[in-house]
Amino acid sequence: MLLPFQFLAVAGSALFAGVMLAIALILGTYWRSLPPAEFLAWFAANSGVIARTIPLVVAPTLLGLVGSLVLCWADTTARALWLAALACIVALLALTMAYFLPINATFNEGTIALRDVPERIDAWLAMHWIRIALALASAGLGLAAATR
């Protein structure tokens, strides 16, 4: 019963990191190449597509992490690793809600000055690397817990 949860936790976290890595490397590069007005138009037209992919990796990740944590609760070392892995994903989601949702709203609504767009894209991408690192850390911690 534990193995499917461990698989979801580790694979989900790694997939989450992969989705975000693709956003950074593919879309981030594209966004930086666009004039500010074109970026805002693109973002408003397409950000919903990106937003719809996130639940596809978040839901199994959380299910796997919580299931693994519950099933390994008696093992203090495994519990600590699963708690740390879950904490990484919770921190990632908190960062998403506190930083990315508001800045994405300014992009979607076009309420940002055009002169500020390049700097905001750079800041967005810099913060995005933190999310990638958190997802990778979660996958690594989950792998350590599952293989101990």
Side-chain angles (χ1 to χ4, degrees):
M1 175 113 171
L2 177 60
L3 187 59
F5 286 106
Q6 291 174 326
F7 176 80
L8 283 175
V10 174
S13 296
L15 286 168
F16 199 177
V19 167
M20 291 185 298
L21 186 62
I23 290 168
L25 296 178
I26 298 167
L27 294 178
T29 301
Y30 176 64
W31 295 341
R32 284 181 165 152
S33 75
L34 295 174
E38 286 182 39
F39 164 75
L40 292 176
W42 184 96
F43 201 91
N46 296 289
S47 65
V49 174
I50 298 167
R52 285 191 298 272
T53 64
I54 302 305
L56 298 175
V57 291
V58 172
T61 300
L62 289 173
L63 177 64
L65 287 168
V66 171
S68 297
L69 177 60
V70 168
L71 293 171
C72 290
W73 193 260
D75 179 340
T76 57
T77 303
R79 178 176 63 214
L81 290 166
W82 287 120
L83 279 170
L86 180 58
C88 287
I89 296 300
V90 169
L92 184 160
L93 294 174
L95 182 60
T96 298
M97 288 184 268
Y99 178 78
F100 288 93
L101 292 181
I103 197 169
N104 288 356
T106 68
F107 292 156
N108 276 324
E109 297 160 6
T111 56
I112 180 174
L114 290 178
R115 70 181 176 281
D116 295 335
V117 169
E119 180 182 312
R120 291 283 178 94
I121 292 171
D122 289 343
W124 192 103
L125 289 167
M127 293 294 286
H128 187 65
W129 284 103
I130 295 169
R131 292 195 298 181
I132 295 167
L134 287 166
L136 286 173
S138 179
L141 289 160
L143 186 60
T147 59
R148 51 171 252 89

